Amino acid sequence: MLGLEIHEAASTGDYDSLEEFVKSGKFDLNHGDEDWSNKTPLHWACQKGYVECVRLLLEHGAKGTARTETGWTPAHFAAEAGKVTALRALNSAGVPVNKRDAYGCTPRRIAEIYNQQECCKFLIQVETEQEERRAKLSLDGLESDEEEDEWESRTSRSLLDRTSTYRS
């Protein structure tokens, strides 16, 4: 089943319908809508700030770092729209809120561009906490469990390939 109904429920904050769709098991929570740059239901819920929908989707397996065609994660959309509560929900669920898009922009940079000061403040706080955690792990002789996702790895290789082509 294509499942664009689930995108609509997430984008309108229709929690009851969304819950019904999620629990039916008939919908792919990570399906990207091709008409909207591959936005998933989680992208929509974050952009609109429907925190309960965000939590429901994450609890049932929505990928918190799903990417659109330009590499935007749900956190990018929340940051653009000034939905700090959606960013908090993502962060509380352990979803990284600092991934770079195809142009190198993090959600924090997007929040800065759109003058979403509350989002900027929160994302700076998250970055500070992550840096402190990495420093503590390093002092303890442990490695960070943060990994590049497949999209970032592919994009980095692509950028390197283009850069080396220009240098030739």
Side-chain angles (χ1 to χ4, degrees):
M1 181 176 283
L2 190 55
L4 297 181
E5 302 96 312
I6 198 168
H7 289 76
E8 185 175 340
S11 71
T12 60
D14 184 351
Y15 183 87
D16 293 336
S17 294
L18 184 62
E19 183 177 39
E20 186 178 316
F21 295 144
V22 166
K23 289 186 175 182
S24 76
K26 296 179 181 177
F27 297 89
D28 178 359
L29 301 184
N30 297 305
H31 174 74
D33 183 345
E34 293 173 12
D35 291 336
W36 290 94
S37 301
N38 286 328
K39 286 171 81 170
T40 66
L42 186 58
H43 284 104
W44 283 110
C46 286
Q47 180 176 11
K48 301 292 184 129
Y50 297 126
V51 176
E52 292 306 315
C53 293
V54 169
R55 289 186 184 123
L56 176 69
L57 289 163
L58 290 171
E59 287 168 5
H60 286 88
K63 185 176 178 187
T65 56
R67 303 289 189 145
T68 63
E69 290 172 358
T70 59
W72 273 32
T73 64
H76 285 89
F77 285 98
E80 175 191 39
K83 305 300 182 184
V84 72
T85 55
L87 288 170
R88 289 182 193 283
L90 290 168
N91 188 58
S92 292
V95 174
V97 293
N98 60 350
K99 298 286 185 183
R100 294 184 181 280
D101 68 9
Y103 307 100
C105 294
T106 62
R108 176 180 164 196
R109 179 64 187 130
I110 298 302
E112 290 168 349
I113 290 168
Y114 288 91
N115 199 29
Q116 302 294 356
Q117 294 176 7
E118 191 175 356
C119 290
C120 287
K121 183 178 176 183
F122 174 72
L123 292 166
I124 289 168
Q125 174 190 337
V126 169
E127 288 173 11
T128 302
E129 290 169 0
Q130 288 174 337
E131 287 172 16
E132 290 170 356
R133 180 174 175 266
R134 278 193 294 271
K136 183 180 179 339
L137 286 172
S138 179
L139 286 174
D140 293 343
L142 302 172
E143 291 184 31
S144 172
D145 60 355
E146 295 174 18
E147 297 178 15
E148 252 189 23
D149 62 25
E150 180 185 335
W151 189 91
E152 286 176 309
S153 176
R154 197 173 53 242
T155 302
S156 295
R157 281 194 308 271
S158 175
L159 288 172
L160 284 174
D161 290 346
R162 281 186 261 160
T163 304
S164 63
T165 302
Y166 294 131
R167 291 183 186 159
S168 301

